[in-house]
Every structure is written in C-alpha cells, then in structure tokens.
Amino acid sequence: MIRKFAPSRNWKRIYQTTLAVLQSPWTILVSVVLGVAIGLWNKNLASAIAPLGNLYLILLKMCVLPILLSAITMSIGRLMTSHDAKRYIKRILIVFPVGWLGVSLLGTIVAAIAGPGRNLPTSVLETLGVLVNESAIDLELSLEGPLPQEEPLPGLGDFLYNMVPDNIFEALSQGDSLQVLFFAIVFGTALGLVGGTVAETLFATLEAIYRSFNKLIQWFTLILPLGLCSLLAAQIADLGIDIMLAMIDFVIIVILTFGVLYLIGTLIIWRYARCSLTRVFAVLREPTILALATRSSLACIPSAISAMHDALRFDRKTTDLVVPLAVTLCRFGSVVYFALAALFVAQLYDNTLGLGGYAIAIFASILAGMATSGVTGVLTLTLLQLVLDPLGLPLEAALVLFIAIDPIVDPFRTLGIVHTSLAATAAIADLEPAPDNFATPPVSLKV
C-alpha cells in the first residue's frame, strides 16, 4: 500500500535540511569569503550582483516600521495596564542615561589613550592631505547667483521638536522612524490608560500584525547568505586601498573598541539571563550576523526581540518595548563612534583638549548619537558637526576621510547599536519563569 503523505514528509525533511544548511555558520563564512573575493578580483561581477544585496536589505526594511509601530504601541499599552509600569519606567530612566554616559566615556578614554591621530608618519599625513584636497570641489561656491544660506546647526531643541510628527501617515510613508517611535509611545500610553475591551481588541490586532511581519522576517533570513555575499562584494569593490592604509590605525582602534563593547554587553546579558555564557553567545549569533551583514539596526529588531524573549526568556512585553526603543533612540554605537572620531580629528590637528574639551566631547557625542535616529549611511557622519563645532574643529576637511572608511566601520557601528540595546534590555526586563520541560543550562553566576 502506497503511503499518501510520503511526498509531503520528504519535502518537509528537505526543507528542514536546507534551512539548517543556509543558517549554518559555515555557510555564512563561505558567503563572506566569496563576497570579499568577488569585490577584490571581479568588480564587474560585484556591480552585477549588488542589486541582489540591495533587494535583500529592502525586503528587511519593508517590515521594520509595521513591527516598530505595532510592537511599541502594544507593549506600552499593556505595560501601562500592568502593576509593574512604574518599576519598568524607573529602570528605563536609569539604564538609558547610564548607558549613554558609559559608552561615551569608553570612546573618549580609548581615543585619548590610544591616540589614533597622534604622531602619524609623514607618508600617512601626505595621503590624508591629498584626499582632503581632492574633496575641496565639494566646498566651492558659485560666483553667480545668490549665495546659499548656511544651515543652522541643529541643537537639542531642534532634535526634540523634530520628534513630533504633524502627520503620522506622512512620517510612515517617509520612513521617519523617530517620529513613528514618538507616535507609538504617545498612542500606546493613551491606549493603555483607556483600557477595557476596546483596547484589548486593538492590542490583539497589533499583535497579529507584529507576528505576521515577524514571520516574513524569518522567511527573508533564508536568503541571508546570498544577500550577505552581494552586499560585501559591492562594498569591497567600491573601497579604495589608499585610504585604508592611511586610516588603518583609526579603523583598528574603532573595531577593537566595538569588540570591547560587544564583550561588555555580552557579560551584562549573561549576568541577567542566568544561563551559560556559551548559550548567550549562541543565541546572539543571528542578530550579530544580521547587524554586520545588513548595516541596518532597524532590520535587526525582530531577530533581537526573538533572541531575548524566545531563547533567553526575558519578559515579552518589556522586551518588545525596550529593544525597539533602545535601537531607535539610544544609538549607543553611534555615541561611542562620535567620541572616537571627535578625538581623532582633534589629534590630527594637534589640538590639545583640556578637561572642559573632554566634557564637551562626551556630552556632545551623546546628543549627536541620539540625533542619528532615522538617519542612515553617510548622513550619519554629517552629525559629527554637533561634536566638532563646540570644540572649534572643522568638519568639512575631515568628513571625506570618514566617508571613505565608512563601508568598513558602519557594520561594527550597527552591531554596537544593536548589541548594547540588548544589554540595556537585559538590565531592564525580568526573566519569565521557566516551563517544567525547559532544560536550563548550568548557572555560572548566582544572583
């Protein structure tokens, strides 16, 4: 007798095997090596496959704003109806400022001690000088017609004012994540205060939207190796070798600093997750790879939430609230990078900073990092002006240097944003009770 469902079982087995292969670390490693090789030795092929990587990134970003709006609105609304609302709000108001100050201090101290812009060889200074001079064409003014008006430097007031959307649908259509975040916080708070059956019905609708887009994100990760290879090949093909050699000290220090930040964040998560350190590293593997591959912190939010709640068992409603909030607003990775970059420019121009100068660099880096919410790519670097102007340092001459190395630094900056946001979430959220059949790994640190 022929089994009727044998073919479907075979296809299910093939699907599971394919899924395991595509998500294997070895597959990811092969895609990285292949992308680098294509970018170095076949730039035509790198240009040809670049649209595949961009398409993968667009597919991920397509799901970001619906997840952001539904998750934060639902989480804040349900949090407001719980008895623990005051406790979590107090934790957020403590952890976020401490995180800002901590990462800014880390970047400032590392740059001050390592001195990536001090005592550079003459050949390196000549290379940097040539690159700066080549960028001068962007600074030329036309002698005909009216002079362009200089844009005023945005301050904290402008930053707070721009958070408020005058039209939420316009903010959604333009992808302004900061305004969407503000609307979700306000709407979720009001919805939680209303309460009742009507609010619960809307919460259920928002949860259905969140779960649906989260499922799409899981499907898109199946083509991660192809997207990763395409993205890396295009980046390597566009990257010059001269600027790499000239800025090598700064690039190494930035990567090492983000490495230290990653380890600190992992230890914080391990401390609050109450499981083995090996398990924490394994759980964080997917959001780490996504951050490095996509260079989009928003695209990593669903994976980060899944890692914190599904794998490490942190409270779901708090995780759904804090992870998007930290990724979108705190921007810890941008804060530490701005502190490193500001001191590099000061050292490059042999500008000795006093105690007041270091204080300005620390707090201005926090402000500039927060202002990167909703800003991506090269536009992020222009906000370095918020740090350099108070220090009396020019941005225009140094901007080309940071633009040239940004394809290398940007993945690590994104990882810093995502990973430190997970550490902040671990410090705020409580653990859910383990089910009876849950095999908890040995606890290495008792709390």
Side-chain angles (χ1 to χ4, degrees):
M1 181 177 179
I2 300 177
R3 294 182 179 179
K4 183 176 181 180
F5 297 101
S8 62
R9 292 178 180 177
N10 290 336
W11 279 113
K12 185 176 181 180
R13 190 182 304 112
I14 293 174
Y15 170 76
Q16 293 175 343
T17 304
T18 304
L19 181 64
V21 171
L22 291 175
Q23 293 182 339
S24 169
W26 294 107
T27 304
I28 301 300
L29 179 60
V30 169
S31 64
V32 169
V33 174
L34 184 60
V36 172
I38 293 174
L40 288 175
W41 294 304
N42 197 331
K43 294 186 177 181
N44 292 331
L45 179 58
S47 300
I49 64 175
L52 297 177
N54 294 331
L55 176 61
Y56 173 70
L57 190 56
I58 290 172
L59 288 173
L60 288 180
K61 289 183 176 180
M62 176 185 71
C63 304
V64 169
L65 285 182
I67 289 177
L68 189 67
L69 181 61
S70 59
I72 292 184
T73 302
M74 176 180 61
S75 300
I76 288 185
R78 287 179 171 169
L79 185 63
M80 294 299 295
T81 60
S82 70
H83 300 290
D84 299 327
K86 291 183 178 180
R87 179 177 51 168
Y88 287 122
I89 292 174
K90 288 180 180 179
R91 291 182 185 179
I92 290 173
L93 293 178
I94 294 174
V95 172
F96 283 4
V98 170
W100 282 322
L101 185 59
V103 297
S104 186
L105 279 172
L106 174 65
T108 303
I109 293 172
V110 169
I113 296 176
R118 287 196 300 258
N119 303 321
L120 295 177
T122 304
S123 58
V124 173
L125 291 175
E126 290 177 352
T127 302
L128 295 178
V130 169
L131 288 170
V132 169
N133 291 334
E134 288 177 351
S135 69
I137 188 172
D138 295 331
L139 308 177
E140 290 179 357
L141 299 177
S142 174
L143 298 179
E144 299 179 0
L147 291 175
Q149 297 295 323
E150 183 179 356
E151 291 289 335
L153 184 65
L156 180 59
D158 297 321
F159 171 70
L160 296 176
Y161 179 80
N162 292 330
M163 285 180 61
V164 184
D166 55 359
N167 187 332
I168 184 57
F169 299 103
E170 182 180 358
L172 286 168
S173 63
Q174 294 180 353
D176 193 327
S177 57
L178 186 60
Q179 292 188 353
V180 173
L181 173 66
F182 179 84
F183 174 81
I185 293 174
V186 174
F187 182 54
T189 302
L191 195 61
L193 293 176
V194 170
T197 306
V198 176
E200 285 299 328
T201 302
L202 187 52
F203 288 151
T205 303
L206 292 172
E207 184 172 4
I209 294 174
Y210 169 77
R211 290 181 175 273
S212 299
F213 279 95
N214 196 29
K215 178 63 68 175
L216 288 177
I217 289 287
Q218 293 177 7
W219 291 345
F220 295 153
T221 57
L222 296 178
I223 57 174
L224 173 61
L226 178 60
L228 176 57
C229 178
S230 304
L231 288 169
L232 280 178
Q235 292 173 20
I236 297 298
D238 293 337
L239 191 63
I241 192 65
D242 290 338
I243 188 61
M244 273 293 299
L245 297 176
M247 297 284 286
I248 188 67
D249 289 344
F250 178 73
V251 171
I252 291 175
I253 289 175
V254 168
I255 294 176
L256 290 177
T257 303
F258 279 118
V260 172
L261 196 63
Y262 187 89
L263 290 176
I264 294 174
T266 302
L267 291 176
I268 292 174
I269 296 172
W270 171 55
R271 164 65 172 78
Y272 289 100
R274 302 182 187 182
C275 64
S276 68
L277 189 59
T278 304
R279 176 173 174 79
V280 172
F281 275 111
V283 168
L284 298 178
R285 182 181 63 191
E286 182 177 327
T288 298
I289 293 174
L290 276 177
L292 293 173
T294 64
R295 299 186 300 163
S296 172
S297 56
L298 295 179
C300 301
I301 289 177
S303 175
I305 292 176
S306 177
M308 295 298 287
H309 172 255
D310 298 340
L312 296 179
R313 299 184 297 107
F314 284 99
D315 178 64
R316 177 182 174 181
K317 61 184 177 183
T318 312
T319 301
D320 287 350
L321 167 65
V322 179
V323 171
L325 191 64
V327 168
T328 308
L329 185 60
C330 290
R331 315 295 286 180
F332 295 115
S334 297
V335 171
V336 70
Y337 182 70
F338 283 149
L340 288 166
L343 264 70
F344 171 78
V345 175
Q347 294 164 3
L348 191 64
Y349 284 94
D350 199 20
N351 189 335
T352 303
L353 298 179
L355 185 60
Y358 283 113
I360 290 175
I362 290 171
F363 290 105
S365 297
I366 295 174
L367 174 62
M370 292 174 61
T372 61
S373 298
V375 178
T376 58
V378 176
L379 292 178
T380 300
L381 302 177
T382 61
L383 293 170
L384 185 59
Q385 185 175 5
L386 290 173
V387 190
L388 296 183
D389 272 8
L391 296 175
L393 297 170
L395 172 65
E396 292 81 4
L399 183 59
V400 64
L401 306 178
F402 295 111
I403 291 176
I405 64 169
D406 200 58
I408 299 176
V409 175
D410 192 19
F412 295 96
R413 187 170 61 236
T414 304
L415 178 60
I417 293 172
V418 174
H419 196 71
T420 48
S421 297
L422 298 184
T425 303
I428 294 172
D430 291 324
L431 286 175
E432 292 181 343
D436 297 335
N437 59 350
F438 184 84
T440 305
V443 178
S444 301
L445 179 64
K446 294 183 178 180
V447 180

Short mmCIF file of all heavy atoms in Angstrom, two decimals, residues 56-96:
data_model
loop_
_atom_site.label_atom_id
_atom_site.label_comp_id
_atom_site.label_asym_id
_atom_site.label_seq_id
_atom_site.Cartn_x
_atom_site.Cartn_y
_atom_site.Cartn_z
N TYR A 56 17.62 42.44 -0.88
CA TYR A 56 17.50 41.76 0.41
C TYR A 56 17.34 42.77 1.54
O TYR A 56 16.50 42.60 2.44
CB TYR A 56 18.73 40.89 0.64
CG TYR A 56 18.79 40.27 2.02
CD1 TYR A 56 17.91 39.27 2.39
CD2 TYR A 56 19.72 40.71 2.96
CE1 TYR A 56 17.96 38.71 3.66
CE2 TYR A 56 19.77 40.16 4.23
CZ TYR A 56 18.89 39.15 4.57
OH TYR A 56 18.93 38.61 5.82
N LEU A 57 18.12 43.84 1.49
CA LEU A 57 18.03 44.87 2.52
C LEU A 57 16.68 45.58 2.48
O LEU A 57 16.09 45.89 3.52
CB LEU A 57 19.17 45.87 2.33
CG LEU A 57 19.40 46.90 3.44
CD1 LEU A 57 19.60 46.20 4.78
CD2 LEU A 57 20.58 47.78 3.11
N ILE A 58 16.17 45.83 1.28
CA ILE A 58 14.86 46.48 1.13
C ILE A 58 13.75 45.59 1.69
O ILE A 58 12.81 46.08 2.34
CB ILE A 58 14.61 46.82 -0.35
CG1 ILE A 58 15.54 47.95 -0.80
CG2 ILE A 58 13.16 47.23 -0.56
CD1 ILE A 58 15.48 48.21 -2.29
N LEU A 59 13.85 44.28 1.45
CA LEU A 59 12.84 43.36 1.97
C LEU A 59 12.81 43.39 3.50
O LEU A 59 11.73 43.34 4.11
CB LEU A 59 13.13 41.94 1.48
CG LEU A 59 12.85 41.67 0.00
CD1 LEU A 59 13.33 40.27 -0.39
CD2 LEU A 59 11.37 41.82 -0.31
N LEU A 60 13.99 43.47 4.11
CA LEU A 60 14.03 43.55 5.56
C LEU A 60 13.44 44.87 6.06
O LEU A 60 12.66 44.90 7.01
CB LEU A 60 15.47 43.41 6.05
CG LEU A 60 16.11 42.02 5.94
CD1 LEU A 60 17.54 42.07 6.46
CD2 LEU A 60 15.32 40.97 6.70
N LYS A 61 13.83 45.97 5.41
CA LYS A 61 13.36 47.28 5.84
C LYS A 61 11.85 47.43 5.63
O LYS A 61 11.20 48.22 6.32
CB LYS A 61 14.10 48.38 5.09
CG LYS A 61 15.56 48.53 5.50
CD LYS A 61 16.23 49.67 4.77
CE LYS A 61 17.65 49.88 5.25
NZ LYS A 61 18.32 51.00 4.55
N MET A 62 11.30 46.68 4.68
CA MET A 62 9.86 46.74 4.41
C MET A 62 9.05 46.38 5.66
O MET A 62 7.94 46.90 5.87
CB MET A 62 9.52 45.78 3.27
CG MET A 62 8.04 45.67 2.95
SD MET A 62 7.73 44.41 1.69
CE MET A 62 8.07 42.90 2.62
N CYS A 63 9.60 45.53 6.50
CA CYS A 63 8.87 45.06 7.67
C CYS A 63 9.16 45.86 8.92
O CYS A 63 8.52 45.62 9.97
CB CYS A 63 9.24 43.59 7.93
SG CYS A 63 8.97 42.48 6.54
N VAL A 64 10.09 46.79 8.85
CA VAL A 64 10.57 47.44 10.07
C VAL A 64 9.51 48.34 10.70
O VAL A 64 9.17 48.20 11.88
CB VAL A 64 11.86 48.24 9.78
CG1 VAL A 64 12.20 49.13 10.96
CG2 VAL A 64 13.00 47.29 9.50
N LEU A 65 8.97 49.30 9.93
CA LEU A 65 8.03 50.26 10.51
C LEU A 65 6.74 49.60 11.03
O LEU A 65 6.26 49.97 12.11
CB LEU A 65 7.71 51.36 9.51
CG LEU A 65 8.82 52.40 9.30
CD1 LEU A 65 8.36 53.47 8.33
CD2 LEU A 65 9.25 53.03 10.62
N PRO A 66 6.15 48.64 10.31
CA PRO A 66 4.98 47.95 10.90
C PRO A 66 5.31 47.26 12.21
O PRO A 66 4.51 47.30 13.15
CB PRO A 66 4.59 46.94 9.81
CG PRO A 66 5.09 47.54 8.54
CD PRO A 66 6.36 48.22 8.90
N ILE A 67 6.49 46.63 12.28
CA ILE A 67 6.90 45.98 13.53
C ILE A 67 7.13 47.02 14.62
O ILE A 67 6.73 46.85 15.78
CB ILE A 67 8.16 45.12 13.30
CG1 ILE A 67 7.80 43.89 12.46
CG2 ILE A 67 8.79 44.70 14.61
CD1 ILE A 67 8.97 43.02 12.12
N LEU A 68 7.80 48.12 14.25
CA LEU A 68 8.09 49.18 15.22
C LEU A 68 6.81 49.75 15.80
O LEU A 68 6.65 49.89 17.02
CB LEU A 68 8.92 50.27 14.54
CG LEU A 68 9.50 51.36 15.42
CD1 LEU A 68 10.57 50.80 16.34
CD2 LEU A 68 10.09 52.48 14.57
N LEU A 69 5.86 50.09 14.93
CA LEU A 69 4.61 50.71 15.37
C LEU A 69 3.78 49.75 16.20
O LEU A 69 3.27 50.11 17.27
CB LEU A 69 3.82 51.20 14.15
CG LEU A 69 2.48 51.88 14.42
CD1 LEU A 69 2.69 53.14 15.26
CD2 LEU A 69 1.77 52.23 13.12
N SER A 70 3.63 48.51 15.72
CA SER A 70 2.76 47.56 16.43
C SER A 70 3.39 47.11 17.75
O SER A 70 2.71 47.03 18.77
CB SER A 70 2.48 46.35 15.54
OG SER A 70 3.68 45.70 15.17
N ALA A 71 4.70 46.82 17.75
CA ALA A 71 5.34 46.29 18.96
C ALA A 71 5.37 47.32 20.08
O ALA A 71 5.04 47.01 21.23
CB ALA A 71 6.76 45.82 18.63
N ILE A 72 5.76 48.56 19.76
CA ILE A 72 5.89 49.57 20.81
C ILE A 72 4.51 50.00 21.31
O ILE A 72 4.30 50.16 22.52
CB ILE A 72 6.70 50.77 20.31
CG1 ILE A 72 8.15 50.34 20.09
CG2 ILE A 72 6.64 51.92 21.29
CD1 ILE A 72 9.07 51.45 19.70
N THR A 73 3.56 50.22 20.40
CA THR A 73 2.21 50.61 20.83
C THR A 73 1.60 49.54 21.72
O THR A 73 1.06 49.85 22.80
CB THR A 73 1.31 50.84 19.60
OG1 THR A 73 1.89 51.84 18.76
CG2 THR A 73 -0.07 51.28 20.03
N MET A 74 1.71 48.29 21.29
CA MET A 74 1.14 47.19 22.07
C MET A 74 1.85 47.03 23.40
O MET A 74 1.22 46.83 24.45
CB MET A 74 1.23 45.90 21.25
CG MET A 74 0.77 44.64 21.97
SD MET A 74 0.93 43.19 20.91
CE MET A 74 2.70 43.17 20.62
N SER A 75 3.19 47.15 23.39
CA SER A 75 3.97 46.92 24.61
C SER A 75 3.71 48.02 25.64
O SER A 75 3.50 47.74 26.83
CB SER A 75 5.45 46.85 24.28
OG SER A 75 5.70 45.80 23.38
N ILE A 76 3.72 49.28 25.19
CA ILE A 76 3.49 50.38 26.13
C ILE A 76 2.06 50.34 26.65
O ILE A 76 1.81 50.55 27.85
CB ILE A 76 3.78 51.73 25.44
CG1 ILE A 76 5.28 51.89 25.24
CG2 ILE A 76 3.23 52.89 26.26
CD1 ILE A 76 5.69 53.24 24.69
N GLY A 77 1.11 50.05 25.77
CA GLY A 77 -0.28 49.97 26.21
C GLY A 77 -0.49 48.91 27.27
O GLY A 77 -1.12 49.16 28.31
N ARG A 78 0.05 47.72 27.04
CA ARG A 78 -0.10 46.64 28.02
C ARG A 78 0.74 46.90 29.26
O ARG A 78 0.38 46.48 30.37
CB ARG A 78 0.26 45.32 27.38
CG ARG A 78 -0.81 44.83 26.40
CD ARG A 78 -0.45 43.54 25.73
NE ARG A 78 -1.60 43.01 24.98
CZ ARG A 78 -1.53 42.00 24.13
NH1 ARG A 78 -0.36 41.40 23.90
NH2 ARG A 78 -2.60 41.58 23.49
N LEU A 79 1.88 47.57 29.07
CA LEU A 79 2.71 47.90 30.23
C LEU A 79 1.99 48.89 31.14
O LEU A 79 2.07 48.79 32.37
CB LEU A 79 4.03 48.50 29.76
CG LEU A 79 5.08 48.80 30.84
CD1 LEU A 79 5.52 47.51 31.54
CD2 LEU A 79 6.28 49.50 30.24
N MET A 80 1.26 49.84 30.54
CA MET A 80 0.53 50.83 31.34
C MET A 80 -0.61 50.19 32.13
O MET A 80 -1.02 50.71 33.18
CB MET A 80 -0.04 51.92 30.43
CG MET A 80 1.01 52.78 29.76
SD MET A 80 2.04 53.69 30.92
CE MET A 80 0.83 54.77 31.66
N THR A 81 -1.13 49.08 31.64
CA THR A 81 -2.22 48.40 32.35
C THR A 81 -1.72 47.45 33.43
O THR A 81 -2.52 46.93 34.20
CB THR A 81 -3.10 47.63 31.35
OG1 THR A 81 -2.29 46.64 30.69
CG2 THR A 81 -3.70 48.56 30.33
N SER A 82 -0.42 47.21 33.46
CA SER A 82 0.12 46.27 34.44
C SER A 82 0.47 47.00 35.73
O SER A 82 0.58 48.22 35.79
CB SER A 82 1.37 45.58 33.88
OG SER A 82 2.44 46.50 33.79
N HIS A 83 0.66 46.21 36.78
CA HIS A 83 1.01 46.78 38.08
C HIS A 83 2.49 47.16 38.16
O HIS A 83 2.90 47.83 39.11
CB HIS A 83 0.67 45.79 39.20
CG HIS A 83 -0.79 45.43 39.27
ND1 HIS A 83 -1.76 46.33 39.67
CD2 HIS A 83 -1.44 44.27 38.95
CE1 HIS A 83 -2.95 45.74 39.63
NE2 HIS A 83 -2.79 44.49 39.20
N ASP A 84 3.29 46.70 37.18
CA ASP A 84 4.74 46.92 37.22
C ASP A 84 5.17 48.11 36.36
O ASP A 84 6.36 48.27 36.09
CB ASP A 84 5.47 45.67 36.73
CG ASP A 84 5.17 44.46 37.61
OD1 ASP A 84 4.98 44.66 38.82
OD2 ASP A 84 5.14 43.34 37.07
N ALA A 85 4.22 48.93 35.88
CA ALA A 85 4.56 50.01 34.95
C ALA A 85 5.57 50.98 35.55
O ALA A 85 6.57 51.33 34.92
CB ALA A 85 3.29 50.76 34.54
N LYS A 86 5.31 51.41 36.78
CA LYS A 86 6.21 52.38 37.40
C LYS A 86 7.63 51.82 37.54
O LYS A 86 8.61 52.54 37.35
CB LYS A 86 5.66 52.81 38.76
CG LYS A 86 4.39 53.63 38.69
CD LYS A 86 3.95 54.08 40.07
CE LYS A 86 2.70 54.93 39.99
NZ LYS A 86 2.25 55.38 41.35
N ARG A 87 7.72 50.54 37.88
CA ARG A 87 9.04 49.95 38.09
C ARG A 87 9.85 49.94 36.81
O ARG A 87 11.03 50.29 36.80
CB ARG A 87 8.88 48.52 38.62
CG ARG A 87 10.22 47.83 38.84
CD ARG A 87 10.03 46.45 39.43
NE ARG A 87 9.09 45.65 38.67
CZ ARG A 87 8.93 44.34 38.84
NH1 ARG A 87 9.64 43.71 39.74
NH2 ARG A 87 8.06 43.67 38.13
N TYR A 88 9.23 49.56 35.66
CA TYR A 88 9.96 49.50 34.40
C TYR A 88 10.33 50.89 33.88
O TYR A 88 11.40 51.09 33.31
CB TYR A 88 9.14 48.74 33.35
CG TYR A 88 9.09 47.26 33.60
CD1 TYR A 88 7.87 46.60 33.76
CD2 TYR A 88 10.26 46.51 33.65
CE1 TYR A 88 7.83 45.23 34.00
CE2 TYR A 88 10.22 45.14 33.88
CZ TYR A 88 9.01 44.51 34.06
OH TYR A 88 8.97 43.17 34.29
N ILE A 89 9.43 51.85 34.07
CA ILE A 89 9.74 53.22 33.63
C ILE A 89 10.93 53.77 34.42
O ILE A 89 11.82 54.42 33.86
CB ILE A 89 8.51 54.12 33.79
CG1 ILE A 89 7.43 53.69 32.78
CG2 ILE A 89 8.87 55.58 33.57
CD1 ILE A 89 6.11 54.41 32.95
N LYS A 90 10.97 53.49 35.71
CA LYS A 90 12.11 53.93 36.51
C LYS A 90 13.40 53.28 36.03
O LYS A 90 14.46 53.93 35.97
CB LYS A 90 11.86 53.60 37.99
CG LYS A 90 10.81 54.46 38.66
CD LYS A 90 10.63 54.06 40.12
CE LYS A 90 9.57 54.94 40.79
NZ LYS A 90 9.36 54.54 42.21
N ARG A 91 13.34 52.00 35.68
CA ARG A 91 14.54 51.32 35.19
C ARG A 91 15.02 51.93 33.88
O ARG A 91 16.22 52.11 33.67
CB ARG A 91 14.24 49.83 34.99
CG ARG A 91 14.03 49.06 36.27
CD ARG A 91 13.78 47.59 35.97
NE ARG A 91 13.45 46.83 37.17
CZ ARG A 91 13.17 45.52 37.16
NH1 ARG A 91 13.18 44.85 36.02
NH2 ARG A 91 12.89 44.90 38.29
N ILE A 92 14.09 52.24 32.98
CA ILE A 92 14.46 52.85 31.70
C ILE A 92 15.13 54.19 31.93
O ILE A 92 16.15 54.51 31.30
CB ILE A 92 13.22 53.00 30.80
CG1 ILE A 92 12.74 51.62 30.32
CG2 ILE A 92 13.51 53.88 29.59
CD1 ILE A 92 11.44 51.64 29.56
N LEU A 93 14.57 54.98 32.83
CA LEU A 93 15.12 56.31 33.09
C LEU A 93 16.48 56.25 33.76
O LEU A 93 17.22 57.24 33.79
CB LEU A 93 14.15 57.11 33.96
CG LEU A 93 12.81 57.48 33.30
CD1 LEU A 93 11.92 58.23 34.28
CD2 LEU A 93 13.04 58.31 32.04
N ILE A 94 16.84 55.11 34.33
CA ILE A 94 18.18 54.94 34.92
C ILE A 94 19.14 54.31 33.94
O ILE A 94 20.27 54.79 33.73
CB ILE A 94 18.09 54.08 36.20
CG1 ILE A 94 17.30 54.82 37.29
CG2 ILE A 94 19.48 53.72 36.71
CD1 ILE A 94 17.04 53.98 38.53
N VAL A 95 18.72 53.22 33.28
CA VAL A 95 19.63 52.45 32.42
C VAL A 95 20.05 53.23 31.18
O VAL A 95 21.23 53.24 30.82
CB VAL A 95 18.97 51.11 32.02
CG1 VAL A 95 19.81 50.38 30.97
CG2 VAL A 95 18.80 50.22 33.25
N PHE A 96 19.11 53.90 30.52
CA PHE A 96 19.46 54.60 29.29
C PHE A 96 20.49 55.72 29.51
O PHE A 96 21.51 55.77 28.82
CB PHE A 96 18.19 55.16 28.63
CG PHE A 96 17.38 54.12 27.91
CD1 PHE A 96 17.73 52.78 27.94
CD2 PHE A 96 16.25 54.47 27.18
CE1 PHE A 96 16.99 51.81 27.28
CE2 PHE A 96 15.50 53.51 26.51
CZ PHE A 96 15.87 52.18 26.56
#
